[in-house]
Amino acid sequence: MIAAQLTARFPNGMASLAILLHVEQQTGSYGAAGLVLAATSVGQAVAGPVTSRWMGAWGMRRVLTLTAAVCISAMLCLALLPLHLTGYMFFGLLAGLSTPPVQSAVRTIYPKLVNSSQLTPLFSLDASLQEIIWILAPVVITLVSTQIGTTQGLLLVAAVLVVGCGWFILSPEVGRVRIPRSRRAFGRVVLKPPVLLATVTGFLLIGACSAVEVGVVATFEHGSLEAGLVLAVFAVGSLIGGLSLGHIPIGPWAMARRLVIVTVGLSLTMVTLNVYWLGGTLLLAGIGIAPALAVMFAITTASVKFSETAEAFGWAGTGQLIGAAAGSAIAGFLVDSTGGPQGAYLAATLFAIVGLIVAIVFVRAFPDLRHRDPSPYPDTEPVAVTPS
């Protein structure tokens, strides 16, 4: 199940860069490519909670199959059709809107695969292994798009979508686990304090990570080997953190402790832009990222009914997507206004500090999972009783 969902989500780490490179080559404008990426991101942010909730109404396989088919078609149109900017934006938006909700689906399935004592370590393992996507996917798509062609890069994204989503959709667990139809109004689940905290802290944490990416690219120039290696070290730190800290029980202060590691590491990046120093500080910061994500997944699952888990994870994913866009935009503005990459690292540090403050101020709203079952609440319905 982990291998299938990682393969199905692998295009998430390829699509944005593939679209950027293709649209820039076809139009000769990074501005146009940025608009297409913005349309794609807006589509993903809007669709996340909606398609996740649909899985409770129509079933996981139907929703995943429909969204995957539309997303693959949109990628093929981006790759093969002679389009103007409006056409690229339309199909980029369509690709975003139809992004298969694999992440919401698999995190809804996990509580049904393992017992309660194994659920938190499983979430940590999942958060750690997803770093493989962000280490390998950009390298693969850059090599294909620059050495073979941007059209072939988009076709590769479509091909991996076919293989990965097909593998995941055909997994027996996807057919066995049925999500009950949610009886609450759309959007109500995000108002639950733990879900809202997971969404807000996810926004801030991923915003910090996106700002770091802008800073690293600005430090070492876009195509340099050092930029790729430093970002890989950042992801490796997250992988190490998830694997080494995943067994620790989650209490109310768990998020704050993990964000302290991230904040300290990011604040040290501003000391010097030496490649070895940046690599070391980002390795330290990365150690807190996967464990913090695992806390978000666990408190979300433990605070909602099973019928609400997919939509809750959809909202959390939307928060992270908006955070990625905000972090990149603010970091880019600060790089331009300050004339150097230090502005991006400052933005990343500020995102992390605000996240740490939120985790400390609202610590009482974080559930204590050290001595309770982190699985979602069961759905119950009134039972009709026939009078005797």
Side-chain angles (χ1 to χ4, degrees):
M1 175 55 64
I2 290 176
Q5 64 96 7
L6 284 176
T7 307
R9 290 169 54 202
F10 200 79
N12 293 351
M14 305 167 70
S16 295
L17 191 52
I19 292 171
L20 174 71
L21 293 170
H22 183 72
V23 176
E24 189 279 329
Q25 184 184 79
Q26 297 300 315
T27 64
S29 169
Y30 277 105
L35 288 173
V36 177
L37 278 184
T40 305
S41 298
V42 167
Q44 290 174 325
V46 169
V50 177
T51 55
S52 297
R53 186 181 174 92
W54 283 353
M55 290 191 292
W58 300 340
M60 278 192 279
R61 275 187 171 154
R62 288 181 181 178
V63 173
L64 289 167
T65 301
L66 174 64
T67 52
V70 175
C71 189
I72 292 164
S73 300
M75 286 293 176
L76 292 175
C77 290
L78 285 169
L80 301 175
L81 296 182
L83 301 170
H84 296 292
L85 177 58
T86 52
Y88 282 120
M89 290 184 67
F90 171 78
F91 286 111
L93 177 65
L94 184 61
L97 288 170
S98 59
T99 300
V102 174
Q103 182 170 285
S104 298
V106 74
R107 287 171 187 159
T108 299
I109 292 172
Y110 280 161
K112 300 297 183 181
L113 297 184
V114 298
N115 60 44
S116 58
S117 64
Q118 296 173 317
L119 187 55
T120 297
L122 178 58
F123 278 134
S124 183
L125 177 63
D126 179 85
S128 303
L129 293 180
Q130 74 177 11
E131 295 300 333
I132 295 172
I133 297 172
W134 308 112
I135 294 171
L136 296 180
V139 176
V140 171
I141 201 63
T142 300
L143 285 173
V144 173
S145 296
T146 57
Q147 302 302 315
I148 302 176
T150 58
T151 297
Q152 287 79 2
L154 285 171
L155 292 176
L156 176 62
V157 174
V160 178
L161 273 170
V162 171
V163 174
C165 289
W167 183 8
F168 182 72
I169 291 167
L170 294 175
S171 298
E173 295 83 359
V174 175
R176 284 200 297 263
V177 176
R178 299 184 183 276
I179 306 172
R181 185 189 296 266
S182 177
R183 299 184 179 276
R184 295 169 65 91
F186 177 72
R188 288 285 299 276
V189 68
V190 79
L191 299 179
K192 291 191 174 184
V195 179
L196 185 59
L197 281 171
T199 303
V200 172
T201 52
F203 165 86
L204 294 165
L205 179 63
I206 301 303
C209 294
S210 295
V212 165
E213 291 176 2
V214 173
V216 171
V217 170
T219 302
F220 301 108
E221 301 301 332
H222 182 74
S224 71
L225 178 63
E226 288 89 348
L229 291 176
V230 170
L231 289 175
V233 167
F234 190 31
V236 168
S238 180
L239 179 61
I240 292 171
L243 295 177
S244 59
L245 303 178
H247 66 284
I248 299 176
I250 293 175
W253 287 97
M255 180 65 78
R257 292 192 185 100
R258 288 152 172 78
L259 290 180
V260 164
I261 300 172
V262 179
T263 303
V264 170
L266 293 183
S267 64
L268 291 173
T269 59
M270 293 183 289
V271 174
T272 176
L273 299 181
N274 175 272
V275 62
Y276 297 107
W277 178 264
L278 283 177
T281 54
L282 290 178
L283 180 69
L284 172 62
I287 289 173
I289 291 173
L293 289 170
V295 173
M296 296 175 204
F297 304 154
I299 65 173
T300 298
T301 299
S303 61
V304 299
K305 292 182 178 180
F306 182 61
S307 61
E308 300 169 329
T309 51
E311 183 187 343
F313 281 120
W315 284 107
T318 291
Q320 293 174 20
L321 284 167
I322 297 173
S328 298
I330 293 172
F333 172 78
L334 289 177
V335 169
D336 289 341
S337 61
T338 61
Q342 289 90 343
Y345 299 117
L346 174 62
T349 303
L350 292 176
F351 267 94
I353 289 173
V354 174
L356 178 59
I357 291 172
V358 169
I360 293 172
V361 171
F362 297 101
V363 65
R364 292 187 177 182
F366 284 89
D368 189 345
L369 305 180
R370 290 173 294 183
H371 306 292
R372 57 161 285 198
D373 185 350
S375 301
Y377 298 114
D379 287 87
T380 55
E381 297 181 0
V383 178
V385 177
T386 304
S388 56

